[in-house]
């Protein structure tokens, strides 16, 4: 069976105020063409179909167009909700849409109930594990600890139990939206840390033939059977070196996997350039970036006059301007933002405690801070579901 694995469409998202809906429509056209030209047997979409719980109308219309085009091909599609989606909204009409061969899996209660598809070698069970917010699904899975690994392990126990009851030789595919250990994140993914931990071990998914992951925006192979497709378009300059693609996966009669990448159309390349303004404007080696979307970091000790106007004269698609003057790390003029760069909320809070009272928090106090951040995240998740 030949699968096309994609995820993280984020329909409705912009890129530094540049609307991406046209590029997203081009991607949908490319997806449909790939399904047709590569004789794909099933499409899997591993979450974050939309960029937010209540997407703009234009994004909903594009999704509707995608569903119709996929259904017209007669190729089954299995799709799960991600942490950016409203699972309840995305799942509206799932039973009716399923009659057209588009199988939406947004309910955690259905993790152990697969979509069954067949090829010449027998049946393949597709298990959809939507994004599982630990605080919201802990009781449903009857686990005592609200943690990503705990709830995913419970969901996979249901998958393995169902698979064990099926005829020998039944092959299996799991769709999941999670941060799996070994994956490389980028700046454009929403933080899903709970209890100070965001990642789950790949071993949680043992026992199935292929795991189609979503959430991280870079295409990655964690094992031959566990892969991220990544987002089809860039959504932050941290993705400047990404090759945007989908996985074309062949699942043979014995469940062995071979996979190759299918490149996605990207409207412009991304470039991150750094240096003093006059050097950036004069360096001939940067000519290759003149038609790219550019993030420019200026290192001039004193902020130059009209930097954006001067940059766009050479790099007309400059979207982001960052000031990072060349100074020693202990220079009192080093910006607060620079000191905080790359630090987690928990670390920032602990540093604040140390700054205010002269000593950092002890283990009990660190646990209180962790619980507070988790409570805020859980409350935000509940409110988003209720919107």
């Amino acid at each position: 069976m030949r699968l096309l694995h994609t995820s993280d469409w984020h329909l409705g998202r912009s890129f530094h105020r540049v609307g991406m809906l046209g590029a997203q429509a081009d991607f949908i056209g490319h997806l449909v063409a790939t399904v047709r030209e590569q004789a794909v047997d099933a499409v899997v979409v591993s979450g974050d179909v939309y960029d937010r719980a209540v997407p703009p109308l234009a994004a909903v219309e594009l999704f509707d167009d995608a569903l119709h085009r996929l259904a017209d091909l007669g190729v089954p599609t299995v799709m799960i909700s991600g942490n950016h989606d409203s699972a309840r909204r995305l799942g509206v009409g799932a039973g009716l849409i399923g009659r057209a061969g588009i199988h939406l899996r947004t309910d955690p209660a259905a993790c152990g109930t697969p979509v069954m598809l067949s090829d010449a070698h027998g049946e393949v069970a597709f298990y959809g594990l939507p994004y599982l917010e630990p605080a919201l699904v802990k009781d449903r899975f009857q686990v005592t600890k609200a943690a990503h690994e705990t709830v995913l392990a419970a969901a996979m126990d249901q998958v393995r139990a169902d698979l064990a009851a099926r005829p020998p030789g039944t092959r299996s595919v799991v769709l999941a939206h999670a941060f799996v250990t070994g994956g490389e994140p980028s700046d454009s993914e929403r933080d899903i840390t709970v209890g100070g931990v965001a990642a789950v071990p790949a071993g949680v998914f043992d026992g199935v033939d292929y795991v189609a992951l979503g959430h991280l925006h870079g295409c990655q192979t964690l094992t031959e059977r566990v892969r991220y497709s990544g987002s089809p378009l860039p959504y932050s300059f941290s993705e400047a070196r990404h090759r945007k693609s989908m996985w074309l996966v062949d699942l043979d009669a014995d469940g062995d996997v071979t996979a190759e990448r299918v490149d996605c159309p990207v409207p412009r390349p991304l470039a991150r350039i750094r240096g003093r303004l006059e050097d950036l404007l004069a360096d001939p080696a940067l000519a290759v970036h003149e038609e790219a979307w550019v993030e420019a970091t200026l290192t001039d000790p004193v902020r130059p006059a009209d930097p954006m106007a001067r940059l766009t004269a050479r790099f007309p698609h400059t979207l982001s301007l960052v000031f990072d003057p060349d100074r020693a790390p202990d220079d009192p003029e080093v910006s607060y933002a620079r000191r905080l760069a790359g630090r987690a909320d928990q670390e920032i809070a602990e540093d604040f405690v140390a700054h205010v009272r002269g000593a950092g928090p002890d283990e009990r106090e660190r646990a209180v801070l962790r619980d507070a951040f988790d409570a805020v995240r859980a409350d935000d998740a509940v409110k988003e579901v209720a919107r």
Side-chain angles (χ1 to χ4, degrees), residues 37-343:
E37 294 164 6
Q38 297 292 337
V40 169
D41 297 305
V43 177
V44 295
V45 186
S46 298
D48 281 354
V49 174
Y50 292 121
D51 188 55
R52 56 181 186 265
V54 185
L57 179 59
V60 177
E61 290 173 338
L62 180 55
F63 179 58
D64 181 65
D65 177 63
L67 294 184
H68 278 86
R69 295 171 73 178
L70 287 167
D72 287 345
L73 291 174
V75 174
T77 298
V78 184
M79 185 178 296
I80 62 172
S81 49
N83 62 300
H84 279 249
D85 299 309
S86 166
R88 289 171 63 185
R89 278 189 170 82
L90 188 64
V92 168
L96 185 61
I97 295 170
R99 298 181 190 177
I102 309 293
H103 305 279
L104 300 175
R105 289 294 183 264
T106 63
D107 185 355
C111 286
T113 305
V115 175
M116 300 302 300
L117 303 178
S118 299
D119 65 6
H121 304 292
E123 290 193 318
V124 181
F126 288 77
Y127 297 91
L129 278 54
Y131 172 67
L132 302 174
E133 174 60 47
L136 300 184
V137 301
K138 175 175 72 73
D139 294 338
R140 182 185 295 275
F141 286 107
Q142 299 181 333
V143 296
T144 57
K145 184 178 180 182
H148 290 294
E149 182 176 355
T150 307
V151 296
L152 266 174
M156 282 302 301
D157 285 344
Q158 294 184 7
V159 168
R160 284 185 283 264
D162 180 85
L163 191 58
R166 296 191 177 275
T170 301
R171 290 158 293 161
S172 53
V173 175
V174 164
L175 290 72
H177 196 88
F179 186 176
V180 178
T181 303
E184 182 66 32
S186 59
D187 293 342
S188 52
E189 298 121 9
R190 184 181 294 171
D191 181 27
I192 59 171
T193 300
V194 173
V197 178
V200 300
V204 164
F205 299 104
D206 286 351
V208 296
D209 294 313
Y210 184 70
V211 182
L213 293 174
H215 180 58
L216 300 186
H217 288 182
C219 181
Q220 301 170 61
T221 300
L222 303 186
T223 74
E224 286 305 304
R225 297 185 182 275
V226 182
R227 300 171 188 262
Y228 282 101
S229 67
S231 61
L233 292 166
Y235 294 115
S236 74
F237 276 102
S238 65
E239 301 169 54
R241 296 188 179 182
H242 287 187
R243 174 186 162 197
K244 295 301 182 182
S245 58
M246 303 177 283
W247 283 113
L248 192 63
V249 178
D250 285 309
L251 193 64
D252 73 10
D254 298 319
D256 291 330
V257 169
T258 56
E260 62 178 290
R261 294 173 72 175
V262 178
D263 290 330
C264 295
V266 176
R268 290 185 186 278
L270 307 187
R272 298 178 112 171
I273 60 176
R274 179 184 179 91
R276 299 194 177 197
L277 178 59
E278 295 300 336
D279 294 336
L280 298 181
L281 296 176
D283 188 349
L286 298 180
V288 67
H289 301 314
E290 289 176 359
E291 294 304 316
W293 279 325
V294 169
E295 178 186 74
T297 300
L298 301 185
T299 60
D300 303 71
V302 177
R303 186 173 300 206
D306 300 321
M308 182 60 91
R310 294 167 68 188
L311 276 167
T312 54
R314 183 180 186 191
F315 306 102
H317 305 289
T318 300
L319 300 182
S320 175
L321 182 58
V322 180
F323 294 96
D324 188 13
D326 286 329
R327 293 193 177 106
D330 58 352
D331 190 315
E333 295 299 317
V334 172
S335 73
Y336 182 66
R338 184 174 174 183
R339 293 199 299 272
L340 297 186
R343 299 179 68 78

